[in-house]
Amino acid sequence: NHLYQPSTEMLSEEEMSLLPHVKREHITMTKFLGSGAFGEVYEGLARNLRGMEAGLDVRVAIKVRPRERASH
């Protein structure tokens, strides 16, 4: 899967459209798991995911890229 291969290139608009998008207000970060050169990873809960029952919380891993850290 080309979306998971390491790359220094930005994704194209078409590639970005293939990724699942979740509104920030539907995500709750519950636990810091680790960090590295490419960001931080948290355990959390996501609500109202596409294809899931409305209102159902799903346990997820959340990757926060370095430029997004200041906004969470």
Side-chain angles (χ1 to χ4, degrees), residues 22 26-33 41-49 52-53 55-63:
V22 180
H26 294 165
I27 297 172
T28 303
M29 292 186 205
T30 58
K31 181 181 177 183
F32 176 74
L33 298 176
V41 178
Y42 295 82
E43 178 181 296
L45 298 172
R47 177 169 281 185
N48 297 331
L49 294 177
M52 301 295 287
E53 181 180 333
L56 179 68
D57 286 343
V58 178
R59 193 169 142 203
V60 295
I62 304 156
K63 181 168 185 176

Side-chain angles (χ1 to χ4, degrees), residues 3-61:
L3 297 176
Y4 296 103
Q5 294 177 354
S7 174
T8 57
E9 297 177 25
M10 295 296 293
L11 295 176
S12 69
E13 290 295 320
E14 180 183 358
E15 291 168 323
M16 287 294 289
S17 72
L18 297 174
L19 296 172
H21 294 270
V22 180
K23 294 180 180 180
R24 283 191 184 266
E25 61 263 22
H26 294 165
I27 297 172
T28 303
M29 292 186 205
T30 58
K31 181 181 177 183
F32 176 74
L33 298 176
S35 64
F38 297 103
E40 298 175 338
V41 178
Y42 295 82
E43 178 181 296
L45 298 172
R47 177 169 281 185
N48 297 331
L49 294 177
R50 188 178 345 154
M52 301 295 287
E53 181 180 333
L56 179 68
D57 286 343
V58 178
R59 193 169 142 203
V60 295

